Amino acid sequence: MSEVVKLAMVKRCAVITIDSPPVNALSAAVRGGVLDSVNAANADGTVEVIVIACAGRTFIAGADITEFGKPPQHPRLSDVIAGIEASAKPVIAAIHGTALGGGLELALGCHFRVAVKDAKLGLPEVKLGLVPGAGGTQRLPRAVGPELAVRMIVSGEPIGAAEALERGLVDEIVDSTTSGAVAFAEKVVAERRPLRLLRTDDSKLVAARADRSLFTAAAASATKKSRGLIAPLACADAVSWALDLPFEEALDKERECFLKLLSDDQSKAQRYAFFAEREAAKLRGVPDGTQPRPVERVAIVGAGTMGSGIAMAFANAGIPVTLIDTGAEQLDRGLGMMRKNWDATAARSGIAADEPAKRMALIDGKVGLEHVADADLVIEAVFETMAVKKQVFTAIDAHAKPGALLATNTSYLDINEIAAVTKRPQDVVGMHFFSPANIMKLCEIVRADQTAPDVLLTATTLARRIRKTAVVVGVCHGFVGNRMLAVRGWQGESLLRSGALPEQVDAVMTRFGLPMGPFAMGDLAGLDIGWRSRQDRGIRWDIADAICESGRLGQKTQKGYYRYEPGSRAPLPDPEVERLIEQTCERLGLRRRAIDDEEILERMIYPMINEGARILEENIAARPSDIDVIWLYGYGWPIHRGGPMFYADQVGLKTIVERLEFFAQRLNDPALRPTPLLARLASEGGSFASMNRAPAVG
Ligand code: T1G
């Protein structure tokens, strides 16, 4: 039928095979090919039954997101599904890999669905700021019941084939996709099974129509974490229409809701974030054909919070780890913390009950750096001072086997300086994890001057293997994320000096969408970390330092920028802090004034954007979208705002330049002046988006 859709006969079964790499997305060509094939099979008197299968690694993974925002092309997906439902002959979807979004919606229009045992089925549209737009909100509740349907659609998380079979989403688990589906199809014909369409089968809606309490509870539970996002609430509403409205009317409302969300800034940001994460995986300066080095065993040096968290991340992916510390006591503490974390996850059914023991069996605890000898990758996660890093790297270099990667988890320090103490600087790379390292998705892969291309490729490939989002950055103080964080930190201090209070700044930033305000976050992490870093560099932040000097180090001392009741982590404004701020400003001769929320937001975010532009000028990041990925996955930047550089384009670079010029003058802070790249883009009416697929700056 077409390049991407083939039609072949197996006995009396018409097998439609979609072959559109990489994920068989429902492009216009695929949609047209499927519909033409279904119609041709129905017109062919020798055909008794139809199977729709996919070549490659997965069943259809959804609509083709690259077509969004372009003029719609016919046939629409809903037309294809209508064509399948109009088929006089049974149509069977043969599912492998991940049947997602429009792919599952197409399968829901079929009379039957079969799947191989490791297949997954889901409607992840909500992660793109959308609702399913081709009947998923109406057919899925009729397949699995409204409670499971609303949980699946609001979370966007798929279910496995076994659960799908149990809940009636799949009719049979088959050993292999196409041949298994053809065998099932022959059974359907031989047994003359009635052709059941979900659109006309409300049997699984009857109970919820009579008593909505279970559905209402499921919807409330699914949407409770959707702070600031509009799609999750829209998804829950759409599923409820299956209980209240006739099928066709509900389909129309779903379509209307889908189109409204499609044009909303939130969905544009979430779709941008989807592609930005994948773009970050495209490495520059790594010759085609470069192969990653094999990594079968990892050694982590330092069994503290970070080292143990990193060890967990590797064990979670089934990779054996040698966890090394120079002290048996610290090693035992680290091993104990890992077991406690895994047990806690198992207790809330996050992993199977036998998983903690299985994962602990992958961890070999050792005292002494000589035990790095059999590792293919050594990651150092020791105390954050250059002296200690150099000492440890000298020892690691002496014991690690030839060809092993030597990685440092440093958050700030100069990796070129660390590499210089080894005999193999080409094998040295940064792998900067974010605490808690077993949870946070981001890993900054720091490319030092002499890092070999295959070392960089090995580190980024491995990061994906342990389900991290890897972004390659260059060497500078704080790389990308922490460098921009430091700029925001100073703006927080500057706002307190100007007249704001911690609670006002935090309220503005949480309303913007951050999970936690910067001052509350500082209290959580411990104020002494930044304080020590400033002291190391001879930098004084008068208010922040006064807070630390008065023994207020954050939650661990029950007081920091806020006070904390014993046993509570809830930040409470503290008049003592206001007094400290006023006293410090008086001593500095600063006159404080009322600051409005708009100024707070601009002064907290625009300097970060300016620093991002500097980072691009210095080639520390390859593209603006890499900076956004770092902030989305490492610092809780709200997904519906796309990232600081995406947000800058939405605000308009001209506005940002004007406001930075204003604040630079008013606050007499030359660091606020727009960097040349930002000023140039603004003057040309340009955008950061224009740089995302362009070659690296400079
Ligand atoms: N459209 C276009 N390209 C896609 C795509 C899609 N739906 N999904 C993946 N790609 C590209 C991706 O950009 C990358 O490209 C390559 O495929 C491999 O992806 C009407 C409207 C399927 C689990 O949200 O979750 O249906 O970088 O690196 O890690 O209601 O891709 O190689 O050039 O992620 O093995 C709903 C999104 C769409 C699924 C595979 N579907 N995709 O993961 O590979 S909206 C989704 C994924 C919709 C309907 C609505 C994952 C995956 P490149 P990858 P992976």
Side-chain angles (χ1 to χ4, degrees):
M1 301 311 286
S2 78
E3 266 307 296
V4 292
V5 178
K6 305 277 186 295
L7 176 58
M9 288 300 293
V10 177
K11 300 179 194 151
R12 305 177 73 74
C13 174
V15 179
I16 300 170
T17 303
I18 299 163
D19 188 2
S20 180
V23 295
N24 291 311
L26 283 160
S27 61
V30 169
R31 298 194 303 271
V34 170
L35 185 56
D36 291 347
S37 302
V38 169
N39 293 337
N42 268 290
D44 180 340
T46 66
V47 171
E48 288 185 321
V49 63
I50 300 164
V51 163
I52 298 178
C54 287
R57 59 178 170 161
T58 179
F59 190 74
I60 304 162
D64 185 338
I65 317 176
T66 61
E67 287 185 358
F68 288 173
K70 294 173 188 165
Q73 297 174 62
H74 289 273
R76 293 181 321 174
L77 178 54
S78 47
D79 303 329
V80 178
I81 295 170
I84 292 169
E85 291 183 320
S87 170
K89 302 171 183 177
V91 184
I92 293 138
I95 295 170
H96 74 292
T98 50
L100 298 175
L104 180 55
E105 290 177 300
L106 182 144
L108 287 166
C110 296
H111 301 96
F112 302 95
R113 286 156 294 282
V114 298
V116 293
K117 66 178 177 7
D118 59 356
K120 291 188 176 166
L121 303 89
L123 293 176
E125 287 84 342
V126 69
K127 295 182 179 179
L128 299 172
L130 301 168
V131 294
T137 64
Q138 304 307 310
R139 290 189 180 89
L140 187 63
R142 287 172 167 80
V144 302
E147 293 78 16
L148 176 57
V150 77
R151 272 204 298 277
M152 286 177 68
I153 294 172
V154 172
S155 70
E157 293 305 319
I159 60 174
E163 185 178 0
L165 178 69
E166 187 196 330
R167 300 300 298 261
L169 180 53
V170 155
D171 298 286
E172 190 167 292
I173 302 288
V174 294
D175 291 340
S176 65
T177 323
T178 305
S179 55
V182 168
F184 178 82
E186 285 163 352
K187 264 194 302 189
V188 167
V189 172
E191 296 163 8
R192 297 183 181 286
R193 286 196 197 182
L195 297 195
R196 169 177 165 267
L197 283 178
L198 288 169
R199 60 180 300 131
T200 56
D201 179 359
D202 285 10
S203 57
K204 293 198 177 178
L205 304 179
V206 171
R209 280 176 176 161
D211 170 4
R212 292 175 73 116
S213 56
L214 285 180
F215 171 75
T216 306
S221 153
T223 52
K224 70 171 180 298
K225 288 198 201 113
S226 61
R227 200 165 57 87
L229 292 167
I230 52 179
L233 301 170
C235 284
D237 280 350
V239 177
S240 75
W241 299 334
L243 302 180
D244 302 328
L245 301 174
F247 186 83
E248 284 305 334
E249 191 181 329
L251 270 197
D252 292 343
K253 277 180 74 85
E254 178 199 76
R255 180 85 193 145
E256 190 188 316
C257 177
F258 171 77
L259 292 174
K260 183 163 173 283
L261 291 177
L262 189 65
S263 60
D264 189 281
D265 282 347
Q266 287 204 3
S267 179
K268 288 175 187 165
Q270 290 176 250
R271 298 190 319 256
Y272 162 83
F274 174 86
F275 286 115
E277 186 185 1
R278 284 149 184 84
E279 193 65 20
K282 294 172 184 161
L283 307 184
R284 290 184 174 154
V286 175
D288 287 347
T290 303
Q291 292 302 314
R293 295 181 192 176
V295 175
E296 301 308 324
R297 172 170 282 275
V298 175
I300 312 282
V301 176
T305 307
M306 283 307 287
S308 307
I310 296 168
M312 289 184 73
F314 280 95
N316 288 342
I319 298 173
V321 174
T322 305
L323 181 62
I324 296 168
D325 206 287
T326 47
E329 211 180 293
Q330 176 57 54
L331 177 63
D332 290 343
R333 257 204 304 279
L335 292 168
M337 185 164 63
M338 294 165 72
R339 179 64 201 239
K340 191 161 151 267
N341 274 339
W342 275 321
D343 283 342
T345 306
R348 55 174 189 269
S349 314
I351 53 177
D354 62 349
E355 274 301 317
K358 280 185 189 167
R359 296 184 193 189
M360 282 305 290
L362 286 170
I363 311 287
D364 186 8
K366 294 287 184 193
V367 175
L369 292 178
E370 64 278 15
H371 294 290
V372 303
D374 61 351
D376 307 299
L377 162 68
V378 183
I379 303 178
E380 162 275 312
V382 299
F383 203 61
E384 189 73 355
T385 64
M386 186 54 88
V388 173
K389 302 276 188 201
K390 284 183 174 178
Q391 188 191 354
V392 168
F393 259 79
T394 305
I396 290 173
D397 187 31
H399 294 292
K401 66 184 179 184
L405 269 70
L406 311 185
T408 169
N409 172 57
T410 181
S411 312
Y412 284 90
L413 300 173
D414 182 341
I415 296 178
N416 292 321
E417 208 178 319
I418 295 173
V421 304
T422 73
K423 300 182 194 63
R424 50 177 124 177
Q426 73 284 357
D427 293 340
V428 177
V429 68
M431 291 185 81
H432 177 211
F433 291 85
F434 287 73
S435 184
N438 53 313
I439 304 288
M440 292 302 281
K441 273 199 74 160
L442 180 66
C443 185
E444 281 182 321
I445 306 291
V446 191
R447 176 178 216 162
D449 293 350
Q450 298 190 55
T451 301
D454 70 327
V455 168
L456 195 74
L457 181 64
T458 306
T460 49
T461 306
L462 197 58
R464 270 174 78 99
R465 191 171 151 199
I466 63 173
R467 291 187 287 280
K468 296 293 179 186
T469 296
V471 183
V472 175
V473 297
V475 174
C476 67
H477 188 82
F479 316 129
V480 171
N482 282 346
R483 174 168 161 177
M484 291 170 71
L485 186 68
V487 165
R488 191 185 75 181
W490 167 249
Q491 290 310 314
E493 167 84 6
S494 167
L495 278 161
L496 299 184
R497 293 158 69 108
S498 296
L501 288 175
E503 51 269 29
Q504 185 189 4
V505 174
D506 282 358
V508 168
M509 297 308 281
T510 48
R511 265 201 303 279
F512 178 76
L514 290 185
M516 193 181 239
F519 291 110
M521 177 59 86
D523 278 0
L524 175 66
L527 301 176
D528 45 332
I529 300 171
W531 186 28
R532 193 170 50 239
S533 170
R534 290 194 299 275
Q535 286 171 324
D536 286 352
R537 289 180 294 134
I539 295 173
R540 183 156 179 78
W541 289 3
D542 296 281
I543 295 173
D545 294 353
I547 295 258
C548 293
E549 283 150 9
S550 65
R552 303 177 72 101
L553 301 181
Q555 288 192 17
K556 58 187 169 188
T557 55
Q558 244 115 55
K559 55 185 182 179
Y561 284 103
Y562 297 92
R563 65 180 178 79
Y564 299 85
E565 295 296 342
S568 164
R569 305 168 78 91
L572 302 171
D574 187 344
E576 176 59 24
V577 168
E578 186 169 353
R579 199 181 58 72
L580 245 179
I581 293 170
E582 279 164 0
Q583 263 178 358
T584 307
C585 291
E586 211 171 304
R587 177 168 52 79
L588 296 170
L590 297 171
R591 287 171 55 76
R592 303 180 77 240
R593 61 181 169 85
I595 309 275
D596 68 32
D597 289 356
E598 186 54 30
E599 178 176 343
I600 288 175
L601 190 65
E602 291 178 333
R603 285 174 59 178
M604 288 297 278
I605 292 183
Y606 293 177
M608 284 174 61
I609 292 163
N610 204 26
E611 196 62 24
R614 282 196 190 96
I615 283 166
L616 291 167
E617 284 168 341
E618 297 167 22
N619 248 341
I620 298 293
R623 52 184 85 86
S625 59
D626 282 7
I627 296 174
D628 288 336
V629 171
I630 285 168
W631 275 84
L632 287 168
Y633 294 107
Y635 297 84
W637 183 278
I639 189 81
H640 64 279
R641 294 191 187 272
M645 312 312 272
F646 179 90
Y647 177 72
D649 285 348
Q650 284 196 313
V651 170
L653 303 190
K654 198 164 170 302
T655 302
I656 291 176
V657 163
E658 282 164 7
R659 297 301 287 162
L660 284 170
E661 298 276 16
F662 169 74
F663 291 126
Q665 194 273 325
R666 169 153 198 186
L667 301 166
N668 188 23
D669 182 350
L672 289 177
R673 297 192 59 70
T675 190
L677 171 64
L678 177 56
R680 173 171 63 79
L681 285 173
S683 65
E684 294 165 357
S687 67
F688 286 118
S690 64
M691 298 176 63
N692 279 330
R693 289 187 184 257
V697 168

